[in-house]
Amino acid sequence: MNRNGTHSRRHSGPSRRLIGAAVAALSLALLPAAPALADVASGVVAAPVPVAMPQDTTQPPPDDTGDGPAPADDPAPADAPAPADEPTDDTADAPAPADDPAPADAPAPADEPTDDTADAPADEPPADDEPTDAPADEAPADEPTATAPATDAMPAITVEGDRIMRDGEPWWFLGYNSFVWSGDCGNDDEKMSAEDVDQWFAGMRHDGHGAVRLFFYDGWDIDRLDAAVESAKEHNVYLTITLDDAIGGCGENDKEAGWFADQSERDTFQAHMEMLLERYRGETAFAWFEYFNEPSYEGGALREFYDEMGAAADAVDPDRLFSSGTVAPYWLDGEDNFRDVHESPGVDIASMHEYDENEVESNHGPGVRANSGGKPTIVGEYGITAGEGCDSSFESRAERFAEKAAAYTNTDEGYAGALAWAWQPGGGGCELGNLDSDTPSQEALRDFSLGEVIGQVGDTVGDTVGAVTGENPGDTAGDTAGDTAGDTAGDTASEEPVQDSTDEDADGDSEGRPAPIG
């Protein structure tokens, strides 16, 4: 087959055979002139030429080769059987016979592949050439592009009911947050290079349960995100990306009612979202996208926005999951509003952020899970201050991280995993964001396995995990929840968070929360 997919020689073969037959007839008609030629050939043509010529219809006529070669070609049919001499004649008389190798003695279909391969050796049977020619022109060019993506692909993350799934099994994850990873936000001593990100991923767990939450806002460096995707695939770490900040971090606007009413703002967000959906369509290194970091309800504008953007996202990549990015019901002015947002068809995963350092499961956890619209719950942020000058050391933070990990990977309770705040180089002292220098906490998250810490989530919110703290899980709601004996563990999810004795209320809404990023 030619490169354009046509069999150009399939139609020329029969016409050459008709010409050959006509030439043979012409030769017979010229036989009365044979005596003159016999004198030149010294009697060699006295052989029964009329018998041999009809068999060798592919022999070129005397007129095709000139006066000299004609007598030299005639003896071959007389001295040997025609079938044996035909291959010799075809190769000896190039270039004229090169287009018609042995078509007279074989069926026409068998000759077509031989013509297509630019005169394959005449000694090979045409039947052997057919299977070789077809794949050579068509299949190999397509095979690498069809198989290469499957080689590098990570198992896709999906949702079934209130569970996140991977390879047909409930999936849990542990990892970190970072808003300085791309160099687009943060102080100069906090910003990370692509090499820093790769080294960070290399030090995480590589069993398919590691994940990171990366902020990526409109106008940020897309090449850095491409590099992060490749590094994530190399180290088997899942990515989630947050598309915008609702609390004005990294130069973004607060997402208040006026923002939602501004069509140009909505259009800018949608264009940013769709660009990422198009670019990474089918890329399974992304576990999910997230619309906003910590949005407010804004009188129902958030629900309407998630409905609209969810439909737009489905039109581009219907398989891409989206998280709400929410904090807790109190942040949306109550459980009814929280449930309304998570019943949006544009939301696949409910989100909780907590900085309840002296609790294992946050006192807001039950309310989040109960009002998640039947969808799985992730802890998109949690954090504990530790370091020089803190009441908590890196070692004690690592112990509490292990406790929280046990609670937030309990898929039977609707949780799927948790992401610690934060990986933020350049810090020091008593901080939430110094996990890059906290080796004990890194080891706790890297080495954690299900069942390692008993009593993952007690019967009452805030129950401690006995294997680490020495308390028995599942006691009454008044059980202590950590080191501060006065902290209660029976708060309902609708209550405001209890003020932590070791942390100031950073934003007036939740204990221990960091100030807005950037």
Side-chain angles (χ1 to χ4, degrees), residues 13-323:
S15 63
R16 287 195 178 102
R17 294 188 187 92
L18 291 174
I19 292 172
V23 170
L26 180 60
S27 299
L28 291 174
L30 294 176
L31 282 179
L37 296 175
D39 292 340
V40 178
S42 301
V44 175
V45 282
V49 175
V51 177
M53 288 301 292
Q55 296 177 357
D56 191 14
T57 57
T58 61
Q59 291 287 341
D63 292 341
D64 287 348
T65 57
D67 295 337
D73 289 338
D74 290 337
D79 294 341
D85 288 340
E86 286 173 3
T88 304
D89 292 342
D90 289 342
T91 57
D93 292 333
D99 290 337
D100 298 315
D105 295 335
D111 291 339
E112 292 168 10
T114 306
D115 292 337
D116 291 342
T117 56
D119 299 326
D123 292 338
E124 294 180 8
D128 293 338
D129 292 338
E130 290 181 359
T132 304
D133 292 344
D137 289 340
E138 301 172 17
D142 294 333
E143 287 177 357
T145 56
T147 58
T151 302
D152 297 334
M154 298 167 66
I157 301 302
T158 59
V159 166
E160 293 182 11
D162 66 351
R163 292 185 175 184
I164 297 178
M165 307 293 288
R166 176 180 180 269
D167 276 342
E169 298 291 336
W171 183 60
W172 59 269
F173 64 90
L174 294 171
Y176 306 92
N177 281 267
S178 181
F179 65 91
V180 300
W181 70 276
S182 69
D184 293 295
C185 183
N187 299 324
D188 288 342
D189 61 345
E190 297 173 331
K191 296 178 179 179
M192 300 171 66
S193 66
E195 292 74 18
D196 293 334
V197 172
D198 187 68
Q199 186 176 3
W200 173 30
F201 291 176
M204 293 180 60
R205 63 188 308 139
H206 300 151
D207 60 353
H209 294 286
V212 293
R213 179 175 177 245
L214 305 179
F215 292 74
F216 192 81
Y217 300 161
D218 184 36
W220 285 24
D221 189 345
I222 193 66
D223 291 337
R224 289 295 306 276
L225 185 54
D226 287 343
V229 170
E230 293 307 310
S231 180
K233 290 192 289 188
E234 179 180 353
H235 299 297
N236 201 23
V237 172
Y238 282 93
L239 304 178
T240 74
I241 54 171
T242 302
L243 307 185
D244 203 344
D245 196 9
I247 56 175
C250 292
E252 297 301 309
N253 299 326
D254 290 340
K255 303 304 182 284
E256 298 175 342
W259 186 94
F260 287 104
D262 188 334
Q263 189 60 47
S264 65
E265 294 283 12
R266 300 167 74 99
D267 291 345
T268 299
F269 178 94
Q270 183 172 339
H272 174 56
M273 177 187 73
E274 290 179 345
M275 179 275 291
L276 294 172
L277 288 168
E278 287 279 6
R279 189 179 190 90
Y280 301 113
R281 179 164 45 197
E283 178 53 72
T284 54
F286 287 103
W288 55 80
F289 286 8
E290 188 171 79
Y291 298 108
F292 291 131
N293 175 55
E294 303 187 343
S296 300
Y297 189 62
E298 299 301 333
L302 182 65
R303 164 64 192 265
E304 185 273 333
F305 184 81
Y306 281 178
D307 288 350
E308 179 182 334
M309 293 302 134
D314 283 346
V316 179
D317 185 357
D319 296 325
R320 182 63 64 206
L321 302 176
F322 275 83
S323 166

